[in-house]
Each structure stands twice: as C-alpha cells, then as structure tokens.
Amino acid sequence: MTDPDLEKAYALQTPDDNRKLYADWADSYDSGFAREMDYQLPRMVALILAETYQGAGPVLDLGAGTGLIADHMLMRGTMAIDALDISPQMLATAASKGHYRRTIEADLTGPLDIPDATYDAVISSGTFTHGHVGPDALDEVIRIARPGAAFVLTINAEHFEARGFAAKFEQLAPAIAEVEHRLVNIYGGKAAKEHRDDQASIAIFRKR
C-alpha cells in the first residue's frame, strides 16, 4: 500500500473519509508528507502564537494531527496544551511526543463536548482546508474560548472566499477583535512543483 498524499487529503468528503485517511497516514506523516513538502504552516502558527500570547494556557490545538505545531512551540514546556483531532491514530502519535496535557478525539463538524470559555488560546494549521472543516465550525471554536482568548488559525486561501470564510468573519465581527489575515505560502522551496505556490490565510484575532 502506498502512503496517502496531499491529493487524497484534498479529496476528502466526510468525517469517516478523514478518519480512514489519517489512520493510514499517522505513522509516516511527519517523516513523509511534512518533511518532503517542506510544510511551513505549523512553524508559522507557533511563531505567531508567541507574538500574540505569552500566558500559560490552556491552549487548544485544533486538528492537531501528529502535533507539528507543538513541535515548534519554544515555550511548550510552560504551557498547558490540549490536542483535538478526529483521528485517534494521529492523536496517539501526538501524545507520544509528550507535548500535550491531554488529547481529545472529536469531530469539528459537530458540537464539541467542551464547556464554554475553557481555553485562553486556540491554534490550528491545515484543518480549515480542502475536504476538511468549513466556516460554521468557528462558532463552536469561539464558544469554548475565554473572553480575550488569542486565535491563530490557518485557512486554505482557495477556500477563504469560495467556502464562505470571508463572509463568516464578517458575521463574527461583533464577537471578535484585533482581526488580521496574513497570506502565506503553505510549503517551502523543497515542495513538489504542483503545490509549491499553494497559499493559506492565517487568521489572527481575539475573542471579545
């Protein structure tokens, strides 16, 4: 069996599709996809979080996968960080690294079994993209954050307009503040040519 790849990830349609793909991908994701594609978003999210939030947490890593953002968080040893993902296999890999306080298996396309105002910061890379999670999930994500909480979320640039993220941010304006969108390259110079110029919008904001 060949390892999953980006095209298969972009073709996902349902939560069950996600579970199956990432079950197969968990063991090789870091050494295969992330390294070979020179995946930049986790490092960028970690750096921006350091710019915008200096607390001790708790921080929620949405769609944490194998824990790549936490790998890049220089202050992770002083923060309480939880990992949330739909794939138990990816979460098992993330947990094995020792960065997280706990792991939470959950589907972001539905309600989350997390109390209101739980987290001081919410981060994510690669979750709001092709075949994954749409803009309506932001309502739950904001619900579980405390007033003043910092957010650093990457959104695939192609989807930002086409899937309604731009409209969703306008709708959320009364609930969020200090909103900034940074357009960045998802992959570095080592990436395969067909995806080397793929971009994401990094949404940086606070909950009012």
Side-chain angles (χ1 to χ4, degrees), residues 22 29 31 86 91 124-125 149 194-195 200:
Y22 288 103
Y29 189 85
S31 60
I86 197 172
L91 285 174
S124 181
S125 70
E194 60 268 29
H195 290 288

Side-chain angles (χ1 to χ4, degrees), residues 10-194:
Y10 279 0
L12 295 172
Q13 297 293 323
T14 69
D16 284 342
D17 290 343
N18 276 268
R19 291 186 184 94
K20 175 64 170 67
L21 181 97
Y22 288 103
D24 294 340
W25 213 351
D27 289 342
S28 65
Y29 189 85
D30 289 10
S31 60
F33 162 76
R35 181 176 299 173
E36 292 168 7
M37 289 296 291
D38 199 9
Y39 187 37
Q40 297 294 308
L41 289 185
R43 180 183 62 84
M44 292 181 193
V45 170
L47 290 173
I48 294 170
L49 181 68
E51 292 174 11
T52 57
Y53 177 73
Q54 287 79 42
V59 177
L60 181 62
D61 186 355
L62 292 174
T66 59
L68 288 174
I69 296 179
D71 286 343
H72 292 282
M73 290 172 64
L74 298 178
M75 300 299 290
R76 62 177 177 258
T78 64
M79 287 183 177
I81 314 169
D82 294 345
L84 183 151
D85 202 276
I86 197 172
S87 167
Q89 293 83 4
M90 296 289 269
L91 285 174
T93 299
S96 72
K97 296 177 177 180
H99 303 330
Y100 294 102
R101 178 179 69 171
R102 65 173 179 142
T103 59
I104 303 166
E105 184 182 341
D107 178 2
L108 279 169
T109 63
L112 298 174
D113 187 18
I114 298 172
D116 294 354
T118 295
Y119 289 99
D120 285 331
V122 182
I123 56 177
S124 181
S125 70
T127 300
F128 298 97
T129 186
H130 298 264
H132 288 60
V133 181
D136 288 342
L138 292 173
D139 294 321
E140 274 291 274
V141 172
I142 290 171
R143 177 188 67 77
I144 63 175
R146 295 172 179 164
F151 287 79
V152 185
L153 311 175
T154 72
I155 303 163
N156 186 280
E158 288 185 4
H159 275 17
F160 193 79
E161 292 283 350
R163 290 202 61 190
F165 282 96
K168 187 64 175 180
F169 274 97
E170 291 182 10
Q171 179 188 333
L172 290 171
I176 60 178
E178 302 175 34
V179 182
E180 178 185 355
H181 297 283
R182 299 184 190 178
L183 191 63
V184 300
N185 288 335
I186 297 174
Y187 307 107
K190 299 176 185 176
K193 185 177 180 181
E194 60 268 29

